[in-house]
């Protein structure tokens, strides 16, 4: 059941590609995808169906959702150059973390830390605030937390044992 819920997030993400940003359909798909992300892990734990596959599937679904949202939102938002640079730097740190995990553990490592979860929630909420909060302020806050989370993730990958 949890994997079905995760699959719904992937389907909603793909469907977002076909709708206009900030339309009613966009918000319906966006909120459904976000809600599925909030409940799939809970359902897996409550039903005793937590698995390595489910964890990886969830991370892949998260990646697809974020990538689609960036594809849809970046062209319609006025994003200042410094913010683009910051987002690229966070992406570089995350890429280094992926390479580090591959080198150390011979597999892609996803760190489900509290800071990564907080970052995910903040990134999810950010588009919902665009109509009443200034993007440069909210994005700076989200990027600050995301940067700290990315460095923490790298630290965990490089210093922890096989529990990563």
């Amino acid at each position: 059941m949890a994997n079905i819920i995760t699959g719904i997030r992937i389907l909603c993400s793909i469907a977002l590609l076909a709708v206009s940003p900030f339309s009613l359909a966009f918000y319906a798909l966006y909120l459904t995808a976000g809600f599925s992300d909030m409940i799939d892990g809970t359902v897996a734990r409550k039903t005793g169906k937590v698995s390595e596959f489910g964890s990886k599937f969830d991370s892949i679904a998260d990646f697809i959702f974020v990538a689609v949202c960036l594809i849809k939102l970046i062209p319609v938002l006025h994003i200042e150059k410094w913010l683009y640079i910051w987002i690229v730097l966070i992406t570089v740190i995350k890429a280094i973390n992926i390479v580090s995990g591959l080198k150390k553990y011979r597999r892609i490592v996803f760190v489900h830390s509290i800071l990564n979860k907080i970052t995910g929630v903040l990134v999810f909420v950010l588009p919902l605030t665009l109509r009443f909060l200034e993007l440069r302020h909210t994005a700076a806050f989200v990027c600050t937390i995301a940067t700290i989370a990315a460095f923490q993730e790298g630290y965990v990958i490089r210093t922890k044992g096989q529990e990563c």
Side-chain angles (χ1 to χ4, degrees):
M1 184 61 157
N3 290 338
I4 291 170
I5 295 168
T6 302
I8 289 169
R9 180 160 65 262
I10 292 173
L11 292 175
C12 286
S13 298
I14 293 167
L16 279 169
L17 291 169
V19 301
S20 297
F22 309 118
S23 66
L24 185 57
F26 176 87
Y27 284 118
L29 290 165
Y30 187 84
L31 291 171
T32 301
F35 182 66
S36 75
D37 190 26
M38 289 184 246
I39 65 169
D40 59 357
T42 303
V43 168
R45 285 185 292 280
K46 295 265 187 204
T47 59
K49 303 286 184 178
V50 174
S51 68
E52 187 172 333
F53 171 80
S55 176
K56 288 186 188 315
F57 191 42
D58 179 64
S59 294
I60 290 166
D62 289 346
F63 177 82
I64 292 168
F65 181 54
V66 170
V68 166
C69 288
L70 289 173
I71 289 167
K72 292 301 286 188
L73 296 176
I74 284 178
V76 298
L77 296 176
H78 175 268
I79 300 176
E80 298 174 38
K81 186 176 179 179
W82 63 267
L83 189 52
Y84 274 117
I85 293 168
W86 198 348
I87 292 168
V88 167
L89 288 173
I90 293 167
T91 304
V92 167
I93 295 166
K94 299 287 273 183
I96 290 168
N97 293 344
I98 289 169
V99 170
S100 295
L102 282 169
K103 286 179 77 173
K104 186 168 183 175
Y105 302 108
R106 307 261 187 255
R107 63 184 171 90
I108 294 177
V109 176
F110 297 105
V111 177
H112 295 276
S113 68
I114 297 295
L115 275 178
N116 271 339
K117 290 181 186 299
I118 290 169
T119 299
V121 169
L122 292 173
V123 168
F124 175 73
V125 169
L126 185 67
L128 303 174
T129 68
L130 293 173
R131 295 202 184 259
F132 55 91
L133 294 176
E134 198 168 331
L135 176 61
R136 67 178 162 178
H137 299 301
T138 54
F141 177 72
V142 172
C143 284
T144 299
I145 303 303
T147 302
I148 295 166
F151 279 119
Q152 179 197 36
E153 178 179 69
Y155 175 79
V156 168
I157 289 170
R158 290 172 193 76
T159 62
K160 299 295 180 188
Q162 288 294 329
E163 69 269 12
C164 249

